[in-house]
Amino acid sequence: MSAHDIRSAVRPDSDQPLTDIADYVVDYQIDSKEAYDTARYMLLDSLGTAMLAMKFPECVKHLGPLVPGATLPGGARVPGTSHELDPVQAAFAIGTQIRWLDFNDTWLAAEWGHPSDNLGSILAVGDYLSRKAEREGGQSLTVRDVLGYAIKAHEIQGCYALLNSFNRVGQDHVILVRLASTAVATAMLGGNKEQITTAVSHSWIDNGALRTYRHAPNTGPRKSWAAGDACRRAVTHAINAVYRGVVGYPSALSAKTWGFYDVAFNGKPFEFERPFGSYVMENVLFKISYPAEFHAQTAVECAMQLHGEVAAKLDQIEKIVIETQEAGSRIIDKTGPLANYADRDHCIQYMVAVPLIFGRLGASDYNDDVAADPRIDALRDKMVVSENPQFTRDYFDPAKRYIGNSLQVFFTDGSSTQKVSIDYPIGHRKRRAEGIPVLLTKFEAAMRGHLPAHRVKAVMDAVKDPARFDAMPLQDFLGLFTL
């Protein structure tokens, strides 16, 4: 019988991408100091972003048990709250907190995404296991353990994103959050290679969420909890593989007609630029200054540079020209009314107009009261957005990974500002020395905005010495964020 004979019940070997992930998660030893150092900052930045999200009731309402009373005393905690939940629901809550404001780290290539979304699964499973071990006299996970799992989750999500574009087939990037989180969560629960392969096969069989909620005319707040949903599903797959012994599906990707490739990826197998290592964590992009979709980060920086020259002459503006990368042009170039917060933080025109007018762009600037200022839409109507092919080439160049934008304002009297161009934002690897102090300031300010002063001090004391921080039991660290 042909290997493609759909009548054959012969169980095939596992698809290579499934076993490659299992081999990497179990066998790979991370020896990159830069990866661990970056992961440490990533953890703090993500928790800071989660604390900032606590100011938004639309986020907070998602963070408790799925139904009232479905709590788990001694279970996984949700930072900045008093909730104790089962690890599946806690993964959803933490993932939702971290992603809500579009202010956590980013990875951009053929696919886009936010690798620190995986902390929803990692912290939930880690806290659950560590508190259980503490009660039973076992060995708790340390912060260092969590950083290692995060490096591997970043690597899986990011390496898949380098050459495989899920957005071009209409699927949301959180499919890779579910994939990476499924793999590392299964390992955290004690799963072996076979169990990791099984869990990952289930992740692919889930197929993917549509990107409908990220694009006009349907942009909405589901995009802020979609990663949490992926984390929740990932922990379910991990638990099923390790605790329930569910059966795996070895050709979940390659099965003729019924596999992921044929159903969802135009029949094409995945392509890979590089083997798994620690490349993604080392090169991850931090959103440090502005809670804005990352393709617009440098556009916001350009607008901030021009604010002083433009703010007093808003009524004299004839045209505003924005040049961006192909991805930015495709994702965040929007005209017409913007219905909600989620619409606005994915509109490059809005994200440029606010800093031109006010000299700032914060999370609250996407709220209805700020959006009601008629000057914002007046400026949006004067904006022309186009792709700059050089920005696109530099975006895909593995030696650069730039996210360039340029901005120039033209006035009715025939004069204009200079054309301001920025290739990469402050959160880029090439600006780490400049960016990390700003990241730490962002983190501490976020703590002070939500936690009591004595807790903020305890957190800042805990993180100031990297070696001591790495050795800290995870449940002790997360306990500092419990209200």
Side-chain angles (χ1 to χ4, degrees):
M1 262 183 198
S2 164
H4 290 160
D5 188 339
I6 62 173
R7 298 171 299 164
S8 174
V10 175
R11 205 78 166 175
D13 293 334
S14 292
D15 289 326
Q16 194 64 46
L18 308 185
T19 58
D20 286 346
I21 285 178
D23 289 344
Y24 169 67
V25 172
V26 173
D27 294 337
Y28 188 81
Q29 299 298 309
I30 302 163
D31 58 7
S32 168
K33 180 180 183 299
E34 182 181 8
Y36 273 108
D37 288 345
T38 307
R40 209 173 290 114
Y41 293 124
M42 178 277 305
L43 175 60
L44 301 186
D45 185 62
S46 301
L47 288 170
T49 299
M51 296 303 96
L52 289 172
M54 296 302 295
K55 295 183 181 297
F56 293 81
E58 286 297 303
C59 174
V60 174
K61 73 181 184 182
H62 287 289
L63 303 184
L66 190 59
V67 295
T71 58
L72 182 66
R77 293 162 295 185
V78 180
T81 77
S82 59
H83 295 308
E84 296 181 86
L85 306 174
D86 71 87
V88 172
Q89 188 61 12
F92 171 77
I94 299 170
T96 296
Q97 284 181 301
I98 290 171
R99 183 86 281 274
W100 192 265
L101 294 179
D102 203 355
F103 210 3
N104 58 322
D105 72 10
T106 300
W107 187 250
L108 303 176
E111 187 53 61
W112 319 301
H114 308 274
S116 58
D117 292 347
N118 292 288
L119 284 178
S121 301
I122 294 169
L123 293 180
V125 172
D127 197 36
Y128 168 75
L129 292 174
S130 294
R131 298 185 81 193
K132 182 174 183 291
E134 187 176 44
R135 290 193 302 271
E136 297 174 357
Q139 184 68 41
S140 300
L141 278 76
T142 65
V143 169
R144 179 84 171 183
D145 295 326
V146 164
L147 300 181
Y149 286 120
I151 291 167
K152 291 185 175 181
H154 271 61
E155 190 74 359
I156 294 168
Q157 180 174 345
C159 284
Y160 266 79
L162 289 173
L163 297 178
N164 303 293
S165 179
F166 295 85
N167 62 79
R168 288 192 179 276
V169 294
Q171 299 205 5
D172 193 26
H173 57 71
V174 297
I175 192 171
L176 296 181
V177 176
R178 190 182 65 217
L179 172 69
S181 282
T182 295
V184 297
T186 306
M188 292 175 75
L189 291 169
N192 57 29
K193 289 183 182 181
E194 181 181 357
Q195 291 165 323
I196 293 169
T197 302
T198 289
V200 168
S201 75
H202 280 270
S203 179
W204 285 121
I205 284 175
D206 277 354
N207 208 332
L210 303 181
R211 286 186 62 88
T212 311
Y213 46 78
R214 294 194 190 274
H215 296 278
N218 291 294
T219 317
R222 176 168 174 161
K223 74 180 182 62
S224 296
W225 56 260
D229 197 38
C231 290
R232 170 167 55 190
R233 190 69 180 162
V235 178
T236 298
H237 289 318
I239 288 172
N240 282 342
V242 178
Y243 294 164
R244 310 277 191 269
V246 298
V247 171
Y249 300 90
S251 58
L253 295 172
S254 65
K256 191 67 176 174
T257 306
W258 316 117
F260 183 87
Y261 292 153
D262 275 6
V263 170
F265 219 59
N266 294 328
K268 293 168 46 182
F270 297 139
E271 298 178 71
F272 298 96
E273 178 182 285
R274 60 197 308 121
F276 295 132
S278 55
Y279 171 82
V280 175
M281 185 64 80
E282 292 162 358
N283 288 277
V284 78
L285 303 161
F286 287 119
K287 286 187 182 180
I288 296 177
S289 299
Y290 310 109
E293 205 281 338
F294 212 97
H295 293 91
Q297 288 281 318
T298 51
V300 176
E301 287 196 45
C302 291
M304 291 293 290
Q305 287 190 24
L306 292 178
H307 164 70
E309 185 177 352
V310 168
K313 302 168 61 177
L314 297 177
D315 60 344
Q316 301 171 43
I317 293 175
E318 180 179 14
K319 181 172 65 172
I320 301 170
V321 175
I322 303 170
E323 294 180 359
T324 190
Q325 340 80 35
E326 184 275 336
S329 181
R330 183 151 52 94
I331 305 168
I332 52 177
D333 176 10
K334 286 183 184 176
T335 61
L338 301 174
N340 50 51
Y341 183 112
D343 231 358
R344 296 167 196 138
D345 79 351
H346 271 55
C347 172
I348 193 170
Q349 291 93 336
Y350 189 96
M351 292 182 279
V352 166
V354 170
L356 283 178
I357 296 168
F358 300 108
R360 66 167 198 262
L361 183 65
S364 61
D365 287 318
Y366 300 112
N367 290 342
D368 292 347
D369 56 339
V370 176
D373 189 317
R375 295 176 297 174
I376 295 176
D377 283 345
L379 288 191
R380 289 179 59 220
D381 288 343
K382 297 176 180 179
M383 294 183 186
V384 178
V385 178
S386 63
E387 177 194 353
N388 181 319
Q390 187 60 51
F391 288 159
T392 300
R393 286 191 291 270
D394 291 344
Y395 177 94
F396 286 111
D397 185 336
K400 292 182 176 179
R401 300 284 178 212
Y402 291 172
I403 314 96
N405 281 281
S406 69
L407 181 64
Q408 188 170 19
V409 179
F410 296 84
F411 299 102
T412 53
D413 64 3
S415 64
S416 66
T417 68
Q418 64 176 318
K419 181 179 180 179
V420 180
S421 294
I422 299 177
D423 286 327
Y424 43 87
I426 192 172
H428 195 279
R429 186 184 189 183
K430 290 182 179 292
R431 294 174 68 181
R432 284 282 191 262
E434 175 188 2
I436 291 304
V438 184
L439 182 151
L440 293 174
T441 298
K442 170 191 169 186
F443 171 66
E444 184 171 359
M447 299 297 102
R448 295 194 183 283
H450 184 68
L451 297 177
H454 71 282
R455 287 294 179 86
V456 176
K457 183 179 185 305
V459 170
M460 298 309 295
D461 287 346
V463 306
K464 65 184 179 183
D465 180 83
R468 288 180 58 196
F469 181 38
D470 284 5
M472 192 174 187
L474 177 63
Q475 73 274 17
D476 292 351
F477 178 60
L478 292 180
L480 299 177
F481 292 83
T482 302
L483 298 181

